[in-house]
Amino acid sequence: MSIHQPCVFCAIIQGHLPATIIHQTDEIIIIQDRAPKAPIHWLVLPKRHIENISALAPDDLHIIGQLMWESKQAAQAYGHTNEFRLLTNNGASVGQSVFHLHFHLLAGTRLNDF
Ligand SMILES: [Zn+2]
């Protein structure tokens, strides 16, 4: 597993920082966002350090499929919904603050259009 320091998500994955874990597999972890913007606000991320979408390599593509799959599974199993928003910020100018690929999964209320 590729670990980058200092990366807050790698530290969480290694158990060096606390987080509320919703669900995890060998390759994916879903955690509670610390500043939730909806009743359900989780972060879905690969355990392997990938900076963002722009840093994806062809060998990483199966990770994206797993991210989508585990998002769907967790929304159904733990959020009890099939309706959610899944988004990622790719780059600092559009709001990426932690440079370890992660998708925000938002649900549980009517979300604003944007
Ligand atoms: Zn990382």
Side-chain angles (χ1 to χ4, degrees):
M1 188 164 297
S2 172
I3 298 297
H4 283 232
Q5 297 293 355
C7 168
V8 64
F9 290 160
C10 283
I12 287 170
I13 290 159
Q14 291 175 290
H16 297 156
L17 282 177
T20 300
I21 298 172
I22 305 296
H23 177 67
Q24 62 180 322
T25 67
D26 286 348
E27 298 206 69
I28 303 295
I29 188 167
I30 303 178
I31 60 175
Q32 177 77 49
D33 192 288
R34 289 184 186 179
K37 298 186 171 51
I40 295 171
H41 186 174
W42 302 334
L43 303 177
V44 185
L45 51 144
K47 289 185 173 176
R48 189 157 67 79
H49 185 93
I50 300 168
E51 191 170 283
N52 57 23
I53 296 279
S54 293
L56 281 174
D59 285 351
D60 298 326
L61 296 185
H62 70 285
I63 293 284
I64 298 302
Q66 290 184 23
L67 280 168
M68 298 294 153
W69 179 260
E70 297 303 334
S71 294
K72 171 191 90 100
Q73 296 288 92
Q76 291 174 339
Y78 309 112
H80 309 292
T81 186
N82 281 310
E83 300 193 355
F84 54 87
R85 178 175 292 167
L86 195 59
L87 65 87
T88 189
N89 298 316
N90 190 70
S93 73
V94 295
Q96 186 175 9
S97 56
V98 178
F99 282 77
H100 180 133
L101 177 64
H102 59 285
F103 285 76
H104 295 261
L105 190 157
L106 299 141
T109 189
R110 174 161 289 281
L111 298 173
N112 293 331
D113 294 339
F114 69 103

